[in-house]
Amino acid sequence: MRRLPAGLVGAWGLLTGPSADPVRSAVVAGCALGGGVGALLLAPPNWTSWQLLPAVLLAVDLVGGLAAGALPPSRRTTASERTAPARLLVVGAHVLHPALAVLLFGARWEWGLLLFLAMACTVLVLPRVPADLVAVVGLVATTVALTVSVAFFGGPPAGLAWLAPAYLVKLVVSAILGQTATSRTWTAAEPDSKPVSSARASS
């Protein structure tokens, strides 16, 4: 049986983490494929091929990415290795998604800008939030952004109802999981991190 090229294996490892097993890899691939199929099924009949193809690719990236970001191997590697410049690079790269929604699908630019700013601000602020408040801040910010985008800016254009939830879940929720994973790993590594009750019992 032929082995996959090393470059392909390395690229897949960036998504699923170096210790991801075949089952987890299959989950990521299945979610990515499901995202693309879902985008096809929800596409309006008047879309051109120049709209259909980007929509499918965006769905594959977002849905596959949110699955990969929730996997423990991926959470450990991104949480322990992602520096501030790396976070900025990730945030900057994801301006493409709302920009394409505006340019190709007629979404309001205010909607796209809100989506990007909500994601960027939350992802960049979460590393400075106390560990026990990370989930609260991230989930509240996601809920507010989704609500405001629909209530004040009319929501996404036809066929892209999935874009905003998948976009924020992929980036914000993955950042929440990464921060909590970092906190737990650091706490477990601390020699003086015994529970108070056990410390008192030992004294």
Side-chain angles (χ1 to χ4, degrees), residues 27-40 56 59-60 63-64:
V27 168
V28 175
C31 289
L33 179 62
V37 172
L40 282 174
V56 170
V60 166
V63 180

Side-chain angles (χ1 to χ4, degrees), residues 38-39 42-44 47 111 115 146 149-150 155-167:
L42 293 173
W47 272 7
W111 177 86
L115 196 63
L146 290 174
S149 69
V150 173
L160 293 183
W162 47 267
L163 193 147
Y167 183 77

